[in-house]
Amino acid sequence: MAKSSLPIINVENLVTHYGDTEILKGIDFSVNKGEVMVVMGGSGSGKSTLLRYLLGLNVPTSGRVCLLGKDITKMDANEMHVMRKNIGVAFQGGALFGSMTVAENIQLPLYEHTRLDKNTMQIMTGMKLEVVNLAGFENLMPSQLSGGMIKRAALARAIIMDPKLLFFDEPSAGLDPVVSAELDELILRLRDAMNMTIVVVTHELESAFKIADRITILDRGKILMCGTVDEVRNSDKERVHNLLNRKPRTDTVNVDEYLQRLTGHGI
């Protein structure tokens, strides 16, 4: 697939902290137009933290986060509101409101960002439900949906405004292999049919290898490697092999440093 020469997402020397603890340690990261970038890493590697900064939910200690050519770290609330019209987010648990129907959940971004009439919203909702194979389910409540259906309804909400960027947090979490595979196929169809640029945070290797154009692997707040599926599979880095083969880390814990972190002294 041909890619644009200019990245849709460009992160330069991103440094972040929680309190005195440095979490992301000089991240350089880019995603091209029409690309599916999968972000992987073990627990505590920083992948969920990176996602929060890509979404502009937190202000970094230093560095730049550019979406669609604009540095979101320098935006005020109104500018970020405009930027979010171009961004769709499908959260890990779906994040559907239990008191609203499927259609009402999907229409929330339209109410927030547009002044469309109700009939137009209903037409757009029906179209997106068709895309995610949920046509006819618009009047059901989230409690009446299976786990896979909740994920697809959340995806319909994320794409209701035809965003240029789609962020997907753990799409396969809690799903059986068949439903997970169907969701993978749906992500690829969205990329191809709507020319979306997609960032997927996941720990599911099979899913990552299926959908990724490139994979970025984080380890302890740093990028361990970024490459194609074949490059990741053939990497000679021990930590990459450990992740792919699910080998436990054998690092020795420094007791003094650990106690300092617990008590808030030192790093």
Side-chain angles (χ1 to χ4, degrees):
M1 179 184 298
K3 301 295 191 302
S4 169
S5 58
L6 294 176
I8 295 296
I9 300 174
N10 191 45
V11 177
E12 299 175 2
N13 196 29
L14 180 65
V15 177
T16 72
H17 288 78
Y18 286 157
D20 294 330
T21 303
E22 188 178 44
I23 305 299
L24 299 179
K25 307 172 183 179
I27 295 291
D28 291 299
F29 174 84
S30 65
V31 184
N32 299 313
K33 183 177 180 180
E35 183 175 40
V36 176
M37 173 67 80
V38 170
V39 179
M40 301 187 68
S43 178
S45 62
K47 59 185 185 296
S48 295
T49 299
L50 175 60
L51 180 59
R52 291 186 62 82
Y53 285 90
L54 292 176
L55 294 174
L57 299 177
N58 297 97
V59 178
T61 305
S62 60
R64 286 162 41 94
V65 178
C66 296
L67 305 183
L68 306 172
K70 298 180 180 179
D71 186 354
I72 65 172
T73 65
K74 297 180 179 179
M75 288 184 176
D76 60 27
N78 289 332
E79 292 170 324
M80 197 65 215
H81 182 78
V82 173
M83 174 59 71
R84 289 199 172 106
K85 294 180 182 180
N86 298 302
I87 299 172
V89 186
F91 297 100
Q92 179 174 341
L96 300 182
F97 290 92
S99 59
M100 296 180 176
T101 66
V102 169
E104 289 168 341
N105 270 282
I106 293 172
Q107 291 165 7
L108 282 173
L110 299 178
Y111 280 107
E112 181 178 0
H113 295 293
T114 75
R115 295 183 178 179
L116 296 172
D117 61 82
K118 185 66 176 178
N119 287 337
T120 302
M121 288 186 184
Q122 289 175 344
I123 292 171
M124 293 176 67
T125 301
M127 292 172 62
K128 292 306 187 289
L129 284 171
E130 289 274 1
V131 171
V132 300
N133 300 318
L134 281 180
F137 291 87
E138 57 268 24
N139 294 320
L140 293 186
M141 305 300 288
S143 61
Q144 297 174 294
L145 304 181
S146 67
M149 294 167 72
I150 288 174
K151 295 271 190 177
R152 283 184 279 149
L155 181 54
R157 182 177 60 190
I159 65 173
I160 188 65
M161 293 183 61
D162 297 325
K164 297 176 181 178
L165 278 169
L166 175 63
F167 294 92
F168 216 145
D169 187 18
E170 297 286 1
S172 301
L175 302 181
D176 66 60
V178 173
V179 176
S180 178
E182 291 172 351
L183 199 54
D184 290 340
E185 290 291 344
L186 181 55
I187 291 171
L188 294 176
R189 288 205 306 272
L190 285 173
R191 178 198 63 188
D192 296 337
M194 304 178 72
N195 197 29
M196 284 186 182
T197 302
I198 303 175
V199 176
V200 179
V201 174
T202 185
H203 67 278
E204 298 286 346
L205 285 173
E206 185 174 354
S207 177
F209 288 157
K210 181 176 180 179
I211 66 176
D213 290 308
R214 287 190 297 151
I215 297 174
T216 295
I217 299 177
L218 295 182
D219 183 56
R220 298 175 180 177
K222 297 182 179 180
I223 291 182
L224 187 58
M225 79 166 294
C226 181
T228 65
V229 170
D230 286 340
E231 288 170 341
V232 170
R233 287 184 187 273
N234 298 321
S235 172
D236 58 1
K237 296 179 181 289
E238 181 181 1
R239 287 190 180 276
V240 173
H241 280 286
N242 289 346
L243 177 66
L244 300 185
N245 297 311
R246 303 182 67 181
K247 290 184 178 179
R249 291 186 297 195
T250 58
D251 305 332
T252 301
V253 176
N254 185 305
V255 176
D256 290 335
E257 290 182 0
Y258 179 70
L259 289 175
Q260 286 178 344
R261 288 197 296 269
L262 285 180
T263 57
H265 298 94
I267 298 177

